[in-house]
Amino acid sequence: MHFDPNVLAKARHVLVFTGAGVSAESGIATFRDKLVGLWERFDPTQLASADGFRADPALVWGWYEMRRAGILQARPNPAHLAIAALAKRVPRLTLVTQNVDDLHERAGSPDVLHLHGRLDAFRCFSCDRPVGSLPALAEGAGAGRRIEPPRCVYCAGPLRPGVVWFGESLPAHTLERAFAAAEDCDLVLSVGTSGLVQPAASIPRLALAAGASVVHVNPQPALTGHPREFALAGKAGEVLPALLQAAPIGSAPMPRPAPARR
Ligand code: BV8
Ligand code: ZN
């Protein structure tokens, strides 16, 4: 059944739930994309874990620094901008992301709920103290190489990225807010996610169970067959601006992207 853009126009509360696919058109590799270079023979679930970091801190820190370099080079794409514009055109919008980049923020979205943390928030792996200022990107980080993590000034432990690794708990308050939005919203726009990682991936299902409709924006959408679940097959950077055009909602101007946090 085709999605009726009037559902978006009539929505009181829209929950936008994004995954790596929303940043794909900004040139940031998704988790489905094969890992390259040094990391080719690893599975992200091995690298994105405390055990993986313990086993080889330089390999894992080098992987995150390469990703951080890529994020600094990247710019928000029309999908990020459309989501920021949508927030100004519907009565209430909650943005929940699995991504650890800051492209939603740089597109102008306020109050982004990062279920899996932020790559550019660092803390000590040993004493957990947060790091005030961003460590400078190591020479050649963008090319991808092993890099020894910087040391904590308090206990000399290795720094780690402020992301949620596999086997680690999600930030409880953020998850609570995301689940509450899933229970309250009328519509979920699930954008660019393969829906494989739990508990984040349960958000669309929770919303369906609470009576909302769910639209998957994805070149390869995966539907469960629920009558209120729809797919808009295609790239987020094309589908979302078109959806905002088609839906008879207010017309706030598309925001201008902000520069990366250095
Ligand atoms: C937890 C941060 C428990 C890091 C991430 C066995 C052992 C251990 C754990 C488990 C296990 N089995 C299950 C688990 C639970 C585990 C899990 O779900 N594993 C999976 C692999 C089965 N979950 C956890 O471990 C979570 N914690 O359970 O804790 C616990 C409980 C109590 C006490 C202690 C512990 C923590 C999970 C968080 C992991 N961290 N990220 C980092 O970024 O490095 S997950 C990471 O992968 C992302 O954040 C994201 O969530 C996920 C990737 O998914 P997507 O974003 O969907 O991206 P993907 O590449 O998969 O798909 C891209 C999609 O985009 C595709 O569909 C594609 O078609 C589409 N696309 C492509 N181009 C476009 C597009 N769409 C639109 N437009 C385009 N242009
Ligand atoms: Zn420390």
Side-chain angles (χ1 to χ4, degrees):
M1 205 173 25
H2 199 67
F3 174 64
D4 171 5
N6 283 303
V7 170
L8 175 59
K10 286 197 229 104
R12 178 191 44 85
H13 181 186
V14 177
L15 192 170
V16 178
F17 175 58
T18 64
V22 79
S23 298
E25 290 154 270
S26 297
I28 295 183
T30 70
F31 279 73
R32 290 316 95 208
D33 296 333
K34 202 141 161 34
L35 287 183
V36 292
L38 263 180
W39 300 277
E40 197 176 354
R41 56 196 163 81
F42 292 97
D43 177 290
T45 51
Q46 288 171 292
L47 293 172
S49 74
D51 289 346
F53 183 73
R54 248 183 237 104
D56 192 342
L59 182 78
V60 175
W61 182 263
W63 181 49
Y64 280 96
E65 285 296 85
M66 180 181 72
R67 290 170 61 190
R68 181 157 74 109
I71 292 167
L72 285 170
Q73 302 294 328
R75 288 172 54 77
N77 69 61
H80 297 107
L81 297 171
I83 291 166
L86 182 62
K88 298 192 175 85
R89 302 190 196 178
V90 293
R92 185 177 168 204
L93 185 143
T94 303
L95 175 52
V96 177
T97 188
Q98 301 169 90
N99 299 339
V100 295
D101 63 51
D102 64 346
L103 293 175
H104 281 306
E105 286 85 351
R106 284 161 55 195
S109 289
D111 192 18
V112 183
L113 300 183
H114 282 272
L115 290 181
H116 295 154
R118 282 274 299 260
L119 208 171
D120 57 1
F122 296 93
R123 64 175 192 269
C124 174
F125 185 69
S126 309
C127 72
D128 233 20
R129 280 192 182 88
V131 171
S133 57
L134 291 185
L137 262 184
E139 203 42 44
R145 59 185 179 76
R146 299 164 65 86
I147 303 171
E148 280 305 323
R151 292 280 154 180
C152 166
V153 292
Y154 300 101
C155 77
L159 298 191
R160 60 161 288 173
V163 301
V164 177
W165 278 333
F166 286 97
E168 293 185 329
S169 306
L170 277 61
H173 182 54
T174 308
L175 187 58
E176 242 165 69
R177 286 182 61 192
F179 281 171
E183 301 283 340
D184 178 74
C185 72
D186 314 295
L187 174 67
V188 174
L189 293 181
S190 172
V191 185
T193 182
S194 59
L196 296 175
V197 174
Q198 292 299 350
S202 54
I203 286 175
R205 188 176 41 74
L206 274 174
L208 278 177
S213 299
V214 171
V215 187
H216 296 280
V217 177
N218 194 315
Q220 286 104 27
L223 295 180
T224 60
H226 190 289
R228 283 197 313 275
E229 196 182 23
F230 306 89
L232 290 174
K235 292 182 171 184
E238 293 159 14
V239 168
L240 289 179
L243 178 62
L244 262 64
Q245 290 286 338
I249 43 181
S251 54
M254 288 292 245
R256 287 167 45 78
R261 206 175 90 157
R262 299 233 164 244

